[in-house]
């Protein structure tokens, strides 16, 4: 997994609330068997007409808004557990998604892919949208070590929560699997200690 | 110390606790399907590691499969290649596959319970958010991403932060025509699409206890639609009797021993929940959704709200209504609908089909409606045919298809055209969920059947429900 230390970039505003993962990447694009290339279809039905022409009123098609940070309305990433949503956002080039509230599964998927979910207060989210609206060239800094997000122009800043284990993983580019694999012997021992055989109900007809 | 049911099961599955407080949670049962597993197997291959406990993973093909002519090769090349990839991966890594053509094939959350693989007290995961369905048996069941599918394949464990505990109690008696689907749509409408985020929900109360296992599954299935990781219901005699004699449930003396263990699975009387809600069954009526998330639900007799719920933005509310073609304050009864879909992991089990058959027997679907019924599994389909339900459906003008996820998410050919309304027994009314531009109205199987018969949104209580 790619390390995450900090970013300083402009941001793309998507004030919609309850953005579900079916919008982030519609189900018909989930047929690939690799992790790459999903960025092309990120927000496909909001971004393109049925004939493939760009919808000019959608923010990703507006050249004024660029950057590695997506700032979104509350309850971002709700719905389907598809990790393809995190893959699509990362593949498109986002490193950070900011919202006042994230759906649980999406948050976990993002963290497993080096995409940092930054949860801020509704008031600070409002400030971020205002800063982008006032000047689309506004830059923002996200520092994982310090757990801060700040608006460069005003200096306004807020800290964001992150599980300490996840933070270490992201800062170093480790994923959960590296850690779990190191425990395999301990897991096997634990299995032996259970009062009932885990596989007692045999699953082979 | 008093514990909730959730904590009893969770604590019994902690292998160790990582620095920072996350638990290494042991997973008893792992279901996989063709869409969210290929990249996980690729990961194992890249690391050169086997599946740690292959007997505890069960695979099926459901999301992508056609619901017609399943005996023929899948026509759509990408779907076919994904289903073939699952077959290859299962063969290479020694995972049992109930693929197309297998008598156990079906929607992953239908087959696990009906085969007796899902049991009380277990931890169960799947790369699918509706894994919460299995919680109906008193199990901790939740959806995961593909990286986590790989973790479970590789170690049979997940690194998890313990969620908060919520209890939702529904007491009282449901009125005729009101189903468990209406209970959960009502709850989600009360709590909102994010009201359960961060929580694991226990459903309790006399109205829940009175439900069959299949009706309980419908409730737990949609826990994710209010943001909850999962929902569970304490197992009782209804649970035990459902499991008795199932293919992979314990048999004979082992079954009695299992029941003796399962009987300890309940929340202690003084167990503390982080959040509690109480509802009355008498307040619940047939429900429909009017917007583009499952929290946007109303009693079918009510009007579309004039304004967004407190704390929600007007822009998102208006965007949602524009998409649906509805106006604030509008009454929806009498609105024409072109499509009716009865199926999905929420409502495709034999009891759902029996209810629909009893309702449509002697009636005819409206000529303006395309109505199709997709059974949840091969076993459900066989049972429906054995009972002659398929004949009832066909006589009433419904199509009776072959098992799969189908138009719930339209990964196969079963899509609703842009702009068309579909009354659907599935679980999500997101924009484009049933096809680009499709407008989904979530409802119970009875409300959906009534919509097919009248060609409109209708209050099923207007029909004689005695016969």
């Amino acid at each position: 997994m790619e390390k995450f230390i900090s970013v300083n970039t402009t941001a793309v505003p998507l004030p919609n609330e309850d953005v579900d993962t079916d919008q982030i990447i519609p189900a018909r694009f989930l047929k690939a068997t690799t992790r790459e290339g999903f960025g092309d279809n990120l927000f496909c039905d909001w971004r393109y007409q049925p004939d493939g022409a760009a919808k000019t009123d959608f923010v990703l098609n507006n050249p004024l808004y660029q950057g590695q940070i997506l700032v979104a309305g509350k309850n971002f990433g709700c719905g389907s557990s598809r990790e393809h949503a995190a893959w699509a956002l990362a593949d498109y080039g986002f490193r950070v998604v900011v919202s006042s509230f994230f759906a649980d599964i999406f948050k976990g998927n993002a963290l497993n892919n080096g995409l940092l979910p930054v949860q801020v207060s509704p008031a600070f989210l409002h400030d971020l949208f205002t800063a982008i609206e006032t000047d689309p060239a506004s830059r923002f800094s996200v520092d994982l070590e310090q757990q801060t997000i700040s608006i460069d122009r005003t200096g306004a800043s807020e800290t964001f929560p992150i599980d300490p284990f996840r933070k270490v993983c992201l800062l170093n580019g480790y994923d959960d699997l590296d850690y779990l694999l190191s425990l395999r012997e301990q897991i096997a021992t634990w299995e032996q200690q259970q009062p009932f055989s885990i596989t007692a109900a045999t699953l082979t007809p | 110390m008093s514990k909730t049911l959730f904590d009893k099961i969770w604590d019994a599955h902690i292998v160790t606790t990582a620095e920072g407080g996350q638990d290494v949670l042991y997973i008893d049962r792992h279901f996989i399907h063709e869409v969210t597993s290929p990249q996980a197997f690729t990961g194992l291959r890249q690391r050169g590691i086997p599946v740690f406990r292959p007997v505890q993973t069960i695979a099926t093909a459901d999301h992508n499969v056609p619901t017609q002519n399943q005996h023929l090769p899948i026509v759509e090349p990408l779907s076919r290649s994904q289903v073939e990839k699952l077959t290859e991966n299962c063969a290479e890594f020694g995972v049992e596959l109930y693929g197309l053509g297998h008598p156990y094939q079906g929607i992953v959350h239908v087959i696990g319970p009906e085969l007796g693989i899902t049991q009380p007290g277990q931890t169960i995961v799947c790369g699918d958010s509706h894994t919460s369905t299995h919680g109906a048996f008193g199990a901790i069941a939740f959806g995961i991403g593909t990286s986590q599918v790989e973790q479970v394949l590789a170690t049979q464990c997940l690194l998890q932060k313990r969620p908060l505990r919520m209890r939702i109690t529904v007491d009282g008696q449901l009125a005729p025509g009101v189903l468990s689907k209406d209970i959960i749509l009502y709850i989600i409408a009360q709590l909102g699409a994010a009201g359960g985020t961060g929580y694991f929900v226990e459903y309790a109360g006399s109205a829940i206890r009175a439900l069959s296992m299949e009706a309980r599954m419908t409730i737990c299935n949609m826990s994710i639609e209010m943001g909850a990781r999962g929902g569970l219901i304490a197992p009782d005699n209804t649970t035990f009797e459902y499991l008795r004699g199932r293919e992979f449930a314990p048999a004979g003396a082992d079954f009695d021993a299992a029941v003796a263990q399962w009987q300890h699975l309940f929340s202690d009387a003084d167990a503390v929940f982080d959040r509690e809600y109480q509802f009355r069954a008498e307040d619940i009526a047939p429900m429909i959704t009017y917007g583009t998330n499952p929290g946007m639900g109303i009693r079918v007799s009510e009007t579309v709200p004039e304004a967004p719920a407190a704390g929600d933005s007007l822009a998102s509310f208006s965007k949602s209504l524009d998409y649906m073609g509805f106006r604030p304050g509008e009454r929806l009864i009498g609105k024409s609908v072109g499509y009716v879909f009865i199926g999905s992991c929420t409502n495709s089990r034999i009891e759902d089909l029996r209810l629909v058959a009893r309702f449509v027997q002697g009636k005819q679907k409206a000529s303006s409606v395309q109505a199709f019924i997709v059974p949840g599994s091969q076993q459900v389909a066989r049972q429906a045919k054995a009972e002659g339900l398929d004949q009832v459906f066909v006589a009433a003008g419904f199509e009776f298809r072959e098992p799969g996820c189908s138009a719930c998410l339209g990964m196969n050919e079963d899509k609703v055209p842009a702009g068309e309304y579909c009354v659907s027994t599935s679980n999500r009314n997101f924009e484009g969920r049933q096809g680009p531009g499709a407008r989904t109205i979530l409802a119970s199987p009875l409300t959906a059947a009534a919509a097919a018969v009248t060609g409109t949104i209708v209050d099923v209580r207007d029909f004689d429900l005695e016969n």
Side-chain angles (χ1 to χ4, degrees), chain B residues 44-166:
Chain B
L44 295 185
R45 218 173 269 123
Q46 283 166 350
R47 289 179 191 249
I49 51 178
V51 173
F52 188 61
R53 298 289 179 254
V55 76
Q56 286 164 253
T57 293
I58 302 92
T60 192
D62 56 1
H63 280 63
N64 250 323
V65 301
T67 57
Q68 290 174 303
N69 296 319
Q70 285 186 351
H71 60 290
L72 299 176
I74 300 175
V75 175
E76 212 275 309
L78 287 174
S79 295
R80 187 174 66 236
S81 110
Q82 207 171 43
V83 171
E84 285 170 356
K85 184 62 85 182
L86 179 69
T87 308
E88 289 165 25
N89 285 332
C90 288
E92 180 182 340
F93 287 91
V95 170
E96 183 80 17
L97 168 66
Y98 303 141
L100 273 185
H102 194 285
Y104 293 163
Q105 180 266 338
I107 303 176
V108 63
H109 310 309
V110 174
I111 69 167
E114 77 181 2
L115 289 168
I117 296 170
T118 299
Q119 293 170 20
Q122 292 176 336
T123 47
I124 301 172
V125 297
C126 173
D128 189 287
S129 60
H130 294 111
T131 308
S132 57
T133 311
H134 306 260
F137 290 79
I140 291 182
F142 55 92
I144 56 177
T146 297
S147 295
Q148 293 171 308
V149 171
E150 185 179 343
Q151 291 158 23
V152 177
L153 288 172
T155 68
Q156 207 58 38
C157 286
L158 283 175
L159 204 51
Q160 289 286 300
K161 186 179 164 204
R162 186 188 301 249
L164 298 168
R165 309 141 188 94
M166 178 187 290

Side-chain angles (χ1 to χ4, degrees), chain B residues 130-403:
Chain B
H130 294 111
T131 308
S132 57
T133 311
H134 306 260
F137 290 79
I140 291 182
F142 55 92
I144 56 177
T146 297
S147 295
Q148 293 171 308
V149 171
E150 185 179 343
Q151 291 158 23
V152 177
L153 288 172
T155 68
Q156 207 58 38
C157 286
L158 283 175
L159 204 51
Q160 289 286 300
K161 186 179 164 204
R162 186 188 301 249
L164 298 168
R165 309 141 188 94
M166 178 187 290
R167 180 162 59 189
I168 297 176
T169 305
V170 187
D171 282 316
Q173 199 166 0
L174 292 175
V178 183
L179 305 183
S180 69
K181 179 65 164 287
D182 299 307
I183 299 180
I184 189 63
L185 284 173
Y186 178 83
I187 291 171
I188 300 166
Q190 299 296 312
L191 271 65
T197 305
Y199 292 88
F200 215 97
V201 180
E202 179 175 345
Y203 300 98
S206 60
I208 303 292
R209 294 253 77 86
L211 298 173
S212 70
M213 281 316 298
E214 297 194 356
R216 293 180 190 183
M217 284 187 241
T218 301
I219 303 235
C220 291
N221 172 274
M222 290 191 70
S223 303
I224 182 71
E225 309 311 337
M226 53 185 168
R229 275 317 282 281
L232 79 175
I233 295 171
D236 58 12
N237 277 330
T238 303
T239 321
F240 309 145
E241 288 313 310
Y242 177 94
L243 283 167
R244 188 190 295 277
R246 301 247 162 209
E247 189 75 33
F248 297 111
D254 287 346
F255 183 78
D256 297 336
V259 169
Q261 289 297 315
W262 295 339
Q263 280 170 335
H264 297 288
L265 295 171
F266 55 84
S267 288
D268 295 328
D270 46 357
V272 177
F273 290 81
D274 299 290
R275 192 140 202 189
E276 295 235 34
Y277 290 95
Q278 265 107 25
F279 299 109
R280 285 165 38 85
E282 290 77 10
D283 291 338
I284 305 174
M287 299 286 294
I288 55 167
T289 57
Y290 60 88
T292 55
N293 73 57
M296 302 175 84
I298 50 174
R299 296 182 188 90
V300 67
S301 54
E302 291 177 317
T303 54
V304 174
E306 295 282 356
D312 291 345
S313 84
L314 181 61
S316 293
F317 177 76
S318 302
K319 180 178 190 295
S320 184
L321 289 193
D322 283 350
Y323 181 87
M324 291 302 293
F326 294 149
R327 296 185 312 278
E330 188 175 13
R331 183 176 152 85
L332 298 184
I333 284 182
K335 279 255 177 198
S336 294
V337 299
Y339 287 77
V340 168
F341 169 62
I342 294 170
S344 87
C345 57
T346 313
N347 284 119
S348 64
R349 297 180 179 83
I350 192 67
E351 287 178 11
D352 299 314
L353 270 48
R354 285 180 188 141
L355 267 173
V356 172
R358 194 178 315 143
F359 181 84
V360 302
Q361 177 121 43
K363 299 187 181 80
Q364 197 62 35
K365 82 163 177 68
S367 58
S368 54
V369 172
Q370 290 207 35
F372 56 117
I373 299 177
V374 181
S377 71
Q378 300 291 346
Q379 296 210 83
V380 171
R382 279 197 297 280
Q383 183 65 28
K385 286 177 184 167
E387 296 177 20
L389 307 185
D390 57 328
Q391 298 302 318
V392 174
F393 298 142
V394 172
F398 288 69
E399 282 185 66
F400 185 66
R401 298 283 190 87
E402 294 171 283

